[in-house]
Amino acid sequence: MMRVKHLLGGQWVDGSGEGTVLRDPATGAPVASSSADGVDVAGPLAWARRTGGAELRAMTFRERGALLARFAEKLREGRPAYYDAVLANMGANKRDAVFDIDGAIAVLRYYAGLGEELGDRRTLIEPGFAQMTRSEEYRVAHLLTPRQGIAIGINAFNFPAWGMFEKVATATLAGMPSLAKPATQTALVAYLMVRDLYEANLIPDGVLSLLSAGGRDLVEMVEEEDTLAFTGSADTAIMLRSNRHLITHGARFNAEADSLNAIFALEDLSAASVESLVDAVVTEMTIKAGQKCTAIRRVIVPDELLGSISERLVARMSSLKIGDARNPEVEMGPLVSRAQQESVIAGAALLAQEGKSLLAGASSVEFIDVDPHVAAVVAPALIQISDPSSARLVHELEVFGPCVALMGYRSMSEGIELVRRGRGSLVATIVTDDDAAFAETAVALGSLHGRLAQLNSATAALNPGHGVVMPQGIHGGPGRAGGGEELGGLRALPFYSQRSAIQATVPVLESLRRESAELG
Ligand code: NAP
């Protein structure tokens, strides 16, 4: 059985004992194990801050970008092995694996390109020098320098590759070394990817470290100039965010937590746009078996469309082929573990108390090539909520799997209110054929959403997809979604930098500007 180790202090280290066994969720077979028991993390963190930080700060943006491009190139070569690893460790078929693996490579490439554009400079500067007093000669500029700590990235189980490299790409380009901590149960692919980079001699000393398990005391190790970017459940985010040591040291904290993302149909929909909505819901429900933080959880449609949309969704979802993704016929693989399976089945049953299940459930599904007593397979759940305005759970409980709640609204204001009851989401899709109505609705929903996408039959092929996070746009959401923000091109870099107001004479500011890349 493979051993998933840790890259700390520039070398591979292992913990004692068997630790956590990583399993194939389709067969239950053990595929690897990982332990961080007895592993020293504090010493290697100090070394990485010092060594990796110095390495990156000495590089220009162009050189940091070139490093990311080399990472991307190496990882591209390793893709077949990574697809196999996510199939074995997560039950993911090729389509699901591509989101994670190719998504990781794409985000590295994107930030590599931004590094090239920023050029031979090491700091960022905001445009404009503001006059502060009557004097026109002495002004203020805002300069961003890399924080001289370590960027710790703790990731959720569902995106071991992309989750790690979207954080590593942005921190590296900003000039900070990284420590990546994948979720233990799905750390295999993260380990293989970092191992390939290490064996190809692509990781400058201290620039990238990996802790594949454990890490419970990481938050107690943060220092003033460190950053802690967390992706995972709201409960863990709250626990980390409220940690006294983190607060006392003023380390930066970013949280990407869970979210009850909605797809919201406006009243004017053409039949073709209704089809686009149905496609989007089925896609979101089946990719990674609904284990995506951005997946659609709530489908909110005008009362008049409720009947036709539910019929179409039932028809599509009840014919889904579910089972072991090794079989190419299978459209939806298992959940990542039996624990996840239990939690999804229990969550769907709770939601069903607020309405009725429109699909027959596991007893009527013939799972393909798996033993349902062993595999973490689940049947999709589509629940029509009886009284969406007075319902509570549907607006509070995230069921992290192929489970969608459908609800009708009577007036536009009620519809908007239902979407907003997610109390802060990563994304909502607004389905309408009317551009002006989309823009007006986006304004009404903006304050509670990190991303809002326009969907109709004309934009369906243009939109990367409701659940797809692109590095050009920000990722994150307010309120229960964690209140964080990642990606969004250069918008990601200030998190890893200190912005300082530089008060000086204009020639001094001009020379700083020449030395810095402008943050437009
Ligand atoms: P989780 O249980 O909160 O775990 C997330 C990560 O935190 C794992 O690496 C876990 O390590 C680590 N962790 C747990 N307790 C910790 C502690 N005390 N100190 C340091 N690290 C700790 O979440 P999950 O079950 O992996 O992920 C599912 C959730 O993530 C869902 O709710 C989903 O919505 C959310 N999610 C959000 C986004 C987003 O971008 N907003 C993306 C993906 C997923 P171990 O694995 O070792 O326990």
Side-chain angles (χ1 to χ4, degrees):
M1 192 162 52
M2 187 178 287
R3 191 69 172 164
V4 173
K5 297 183 190 159
H6 321 284
L7 179 62
L8 292 169
Q11 55 190 344
W12 291 101
V13 295
D14 197 359
S16 58
E18 185 183 44
T20 304
V21 175
L22 286 60
R23 290 185 184 279
D24 180 327
T27 64
V31 291
S33 68
S34 186
S35 162
D37 289 352
V39 167
D40 172 34
V41 178
L45 267 189
W47 173 80
R49 277 186 197 101
R50 210 172 45 247
T51 315
E55 287 271 358
L56 284 171
R57 290 195 302 278
M59 292 183 194
T60 63
F61 286 115
R62 177 170 284 132
E63 289 164 340
R64 294 173 203 160
L67 177 65
L68 297 177
R70 289 195 290 277
F71 281 8
E73 195 46 40
K74 183 68 203 166
L75 296 176
R76 209 176 62 82
E77 289 168 18
R79 282 185 303 176
Y82 310 147
Y83 298 149
D84 288 349
V86 290
L87 178 61
N89 188 196
M90 300 175 72
N93 61 21
K94 177 80 183 290
R95 177 188 70 162
D96 294 355
V98 161
F99 269 93
D100 197 19
I101 307 301
D102 294 53
I105 295 168
V107 79
L108 284 165
R109 281 211 175 123
Y110 173 75
Y111 277 96
L114 285 189
E116 178 66 28
E117 279 174 31
L118 293 174
D120 295 321
R121 301 180 175 91
R122 295 180 177 81
T123 50
L124 295 164
I125 196 161
E126 291 183 357
F129 306 153
Q131 192 173 327
M132 296 176 291
T133 63
R134 281 199 200 145
S135 164
E136 295 201 350
E137 281 90 53
Y138 190 89
R139 294 180 177 235
V140 62
H142 287 89
L143 182 75
L144 287 88
T145 51
R147 291 167 76 86
Q148 298 191 16
I150 189 156
I152 300 172
I154 299 180
N155 289 305
F157 71 78
N158 57 340
F159 275 101
W162 177 83
M164 172 167 72
F165 281 110
E166 53 112 13
K167 292 181 174 71
V168 169
T170 48
T172 304
L173 187 60
M176 281 188 81
S178 298
L179 171 92
K181 157 69 185 76
T184 308
Q185 61 181 318
T186 58
L188 177 59
V189 74
Y191 164 69
L192 294 177
M193 291 172 107
V194 175
R195 194 184 67 177
D196 285 350
L197 297 180
Y198 178 84
E199 284 179 358
N201 268 326
L202 289 179
I203 306 178
D205 276 351
V207 162
L208 173 58
S209 306
L210 179 74
L211 180 63
S212 302
R216 290 296 181 270
D217 49 357
L218 271 177
V219 68
E220 297 289 343
M221 295 178 194
V222 296
E223 296 183 353
E224 289 71 12
E225 297 198 62
D226 292 346
T227 59
L228 177 53
F230 169 78
T231 300
S233 65
D235 287 347
T236 313
I238 290 166
M239 192 256 296
L240 293 173
R241 185 199 295 285
S242 56
N243 178 275
R244 189 176 171 79
H245 179 87
L246 179 98
I247 296 167
T248 310
H249 287 75
R252 290 238 172 104
F253 181 72
N254 190 73
E256 296 296 337
D258 60 41
S259 175
L260 293 171
N261 314 295
I263 188 164
F264 181 35
L266 304 195
E267 282 156 337
D268 62 341
L269 277 199
S270 64
S273 293
V274 167
E275 268 329 302
S276 304
L277 176 144
V278 170
D279 282 345
V281 175
V282 174
T283 302
E284 289 299 314
M285 185 184 234
T286 52
I287 291 183
K288 288 175 159 283
Q291 298 166 110
K292 239 158 65 284
C293 55
T294 49
I296 293 169
R297 306 284 175 214
R298 299 177 304 145
V299 182
I300 300 171
V301 305
D303 266 348
E304 313 80 72
L305 292 178
L306 203 48
S308 64
I309 289 178
S310 66
E311 266 171 36
R312 283 173 168 78
L313 286 173
V314 168
R316 293 277 297 275
M317 288 177 185
S318 42
S319 62
L320 272 178
K321 296 196 169 76
I322 306 162
D324 187 337
R326 287 173 185 87
N327 183 327
E329 272 186 24
V330 165
E331 295 162 292
M332 188 170 86
L335 295 171
V336 81
S337 65
R338 293 283 279 185
Q340 248 344 84
Q341 179 194 41
E342 207 175 291
S343 141
V344 166
I345 292 170
L350 279 174
L351 289 192
Q353 291 174 5
E354 294 192 328
K356 59 176 178 195
S357 292
L358 300 181
L359 298 173
S363 54
S364 67
V365 175
E366 213 169 290
F367 295 111
I368 300 172
D369 289 352
V370 290
D371 174 356
H373 302 294
V374 174
V377 283
V378 283
L382 177 65
I383 294 152
Q384 185 168 329
I385 304 298
S386 314
D387 182 357
S389 291
S390 64
R392 186 180 59 83
L393 278 177
V394 71
H395 306 297
E396 288 179 7
L397 179 69
E398 181 199 46
V399 182
F400 205 58
C403 173
V404 169
L406 176 64
M407 51 202 120
Y409 67 85
R410 284 161 299 218
S411 65
M412 187 62 182
S413 58
E414 187 191 11
I416 298 258
E417 190 44 38
L418 289 176
V419 179
R420 289 178 60 88
R421 284 205 37 207
R423 296 187 2 266
S425 299
L426 296 169
V427 53
T429 287
I430 302 165
V431 196
T432 173
D433 294 298
D434 178 342
D435 287 353
F438 168 77
E440 203 178 310
T441 311
V443 171
L445 295 177
S447 66
L448 278 174
H449 290 84
R451 180 159 64 85
L452 289 154
Q454 179 188 22
L455 178 68
N456 54 45
S457 57
T459 64
L462 311 175
N463 183 356
H466 168 99
V468 180
V469 173
M470 299 297 286
Q472 294 83 350
I474 61 157
H475 172 54
R480 76 167 283 162
E485 199 174 290
E486 290 177 335
L487 299 172
L490 295 182
R491 293 175 190 85
L493 272 49
F495 179 71
Y496 299 104
S497 318
Q498 178 57 41
R499 181 191 283 118
S500 309
I502 307 291
Q503 300 177 198
T505 58
V506 170
V508 172
L509 299 183
E510 287 292 2
S511 77
L512 279 174
R513 178 153 65 185
R514 278 192 298 278
E515 295 294 313
S516 304
E518 198 157 290
L519 193 63

